[in-house]
Amino acid sequence: MGIEQLESEEIDAILRLARRFQRARPRPLFKEKRVALLFYEASTRTRISFEFAAKVLGATTTIVHATASSVEKGESLIDTGLTIRALGAQVIIIRHPSSGAPLVLARHVDVPVINAGDGMHEHPSQALLDAFTILQHRKTLRGLRVAIVGDIYHSRVARSEVYLLSRYGAKIALCGPPELAPDSAATLASGVQVTRNIGEALRGADVVMVLRIQKERLAGKQISLEQYIAQYQVTPERLRLAQRDAILMHPGPIIRGMELTGELADSPQSVVLEQVANGVPVRMAILARALQIRV
Ligand code: CP
């Protein structure tokens, strides 16, 4: 249900298979497979790339949105999952605002459930496609210096990145104000440090990963966005502290002028659209493994 539980052999197998899918012409490997996307939260990149991944390989797909389905009439997650299963779905991809929802669903349906982001818990497919993207620019994750700047606390992406990159030997600096990057985040994994100083985080970094400030989850937190921009926005001047060939990543959606400047988002160092594009082969590989398709 997350990177934390995923065996390293499985991560390696997904990344290897994604490389094959990226190079090869698509074949109808998923012919007669039915893939359901159950999205209780908004999504552009994850939903479309899972859908394209399934369709390119010949699957039939359906998208269930919480706002345009019987979920709106009060149907529970479990009943919705059982209904989708009874209709013939052979895999369910779920995004949900509650941490643990994919696990709950998986306990009640007899088909694989893929976590497309659950609350503040994990976003495993994002971490996998980000590792895939980094490895297109660097030979190895081992010893890599990664700075993650922004709203760490509310970020399922940050959690999955930390679990995956630290397992492969990357050194991670988490950076933000205490409300968004609490000291306790350093205990997520070994090789992780928390700093309030963006210069310290970025200096010598090979990878700079910027996260969105999740305004929708800030309720009750005393955050001045002006102060955040002044202290933590990733700007061209600040990025110059990183390695000359450092790559700039962002899982999206980007809020230009907030967590980073628009100029940087469009700069040659930015691999943001590569990340988006890599979502398709990586999610093809995730689906193929879940459906136990021989490739
Ligand atoms: N990175 C990501 O999860 O983007 P979406 O919310 O658009 O799927």
Side-chain angles (χ1 to χ4, degrees):
M1 288 302 120
I3 296 292
E4 195 178 18
Q5 295 81 28
L6 209 59
E7 300 287 342
S8 299
E9 292 72 27
E10 185 59 20
I11 294 175
D12 295 339
I14 290 169
L15 296 179
R16 264 198 314 274
L17 191 51
R19 269 177 225 117
R20 287 178 60 190
F21 278 130
Q22 194 174 47
R23 290 192 205 111
R25 281 165 67 94
R27 289 182 289 138
L29 295 165
F30 296 173
K31 198 161 174 274
E32 294 173 15
K33 297 291 181 197
R34 293 182 188 178
V35 176
L37 296 102
L38 176 55
F39 274 63
Y40 285 79
E41 255 190 13
S43 168
T44 301
R45 282 146 282 268
T46 311
R47 184 182 60 71
I48 294 175
S49 55
F50 265 122
E51 191 185 1
F52 280 0
K55 278 194 161 141
V56 161
L57 297 177
T60 299
T61 62
T62 188
I63 301 173
V64 182
H65 292 287
T67 48
S69 66
S70 293
V71 171
E72 210 173 47
K73 299 174 192 161
E75 190 163 59
S76 72
L77 168 66
I78 293 163
D79 283 332
T80 301
L82 290 171
T83 302
I84 292 170
R85 173 65 186 120
L87 287 164
Q90 285 150 303
V91 58
I92 301 175
I93 301 161
I94 178 172
R95 169 167 289 191
H96 200 283
S98 300
S99 302
L103 186 61
V104 170
L105 182 60
R107 286 192 180 133
H108 289 85
V109 293
D110 61 350
V111 290
V113 173
I114 296 175
N115 182 357
D118 63 326
M120 289 160 52
H121 174 225
E122 280 222 41
H123 192 347
S125 62
Q126 181 70 44
L128 288 161
L129 75 88
D130 286 344
F132 184 83
T133 304
I134 294 171
L135 289 169
Q136 289 182 325
H137 293 268
R138 292 290 186 281
K139 284 196 177 72
T140 175
L141 300 176
R142 185 151 301 283
L144 216 60
R145 294 182 61 181
V146 181
I148 305 182
V149 185
D151 185 353
I152 315 289
Y153 179 75
H154 298 100
S155 175
R156 53 196 175 210
V157 174
R159 207 172 291 266
S160 291
E161 305 284 3
V162 165
Y163 289 142
L164 194 158
L165 297 174
S166 64
R167 197 185 307 177
Y168 285 81
K171 301 269 174 277
I172 302 168
L174 303 175
C175 180
E179 298 83 357
L180 301 183
D183 289 338
S184 58
T187 62
L188 281 173
S190 62
V192 179
Q193 65 157 127
V194 175
T195 174
R196 314 267 158 247
N197 183 323
I198 191 162
E200 189 186 346
L202 264 51
R203 195 164 289 111
D206 299 289
V207 176
V208 177
M209 210 175 266
V210 188
L211 298 177
R212 184 171 69 90
I213 305 305
Q214 301 192 30
K215 283 191 195 163
E216 70 275 20
R217 298 194 215 260
L218 286 184
K221 287 209 176 341
Q222 300 298 315
I223 305 273
S224 150
L225 296 180
E226 289 73 26
Q227 204 176 334
Y228 179 87
I229 290 169
Q231 289 186 2
Y232 295 104
Q233 184 183 69
V234 180
T235 62
E237 295 71 37
R238 287 173 172 161
L239 189 61
R240 277 197 274 279
L241 295 169
Q243 298 285 347
R244 282 168 66 92
D245 62 349
I247 56 170
L248 178 73
M249 306 182 78
H250 192 310
I254 289 175
I255 310 300
R256 291 167 185 256
M258 184 67 219
E259 63 268 15
L260 83 172
T261 63
E263 181 189 351
L264 269 191
D266 301 326
S267 72
Q269 276 177 282
S270 166
V271 297
V272 172
L273 292 178
E274 276 178 52
Q275 290 172 263
V276 175
N278 286 337
V280 178
V282 170
R283 289 176 171 126
M284 282 178 176
I286 292 169
L287 280 167
R289 300 287 299 177
L291 289 164
Q292 299 185 332
I293 302 283
R294 286 169 67 92
V295 181

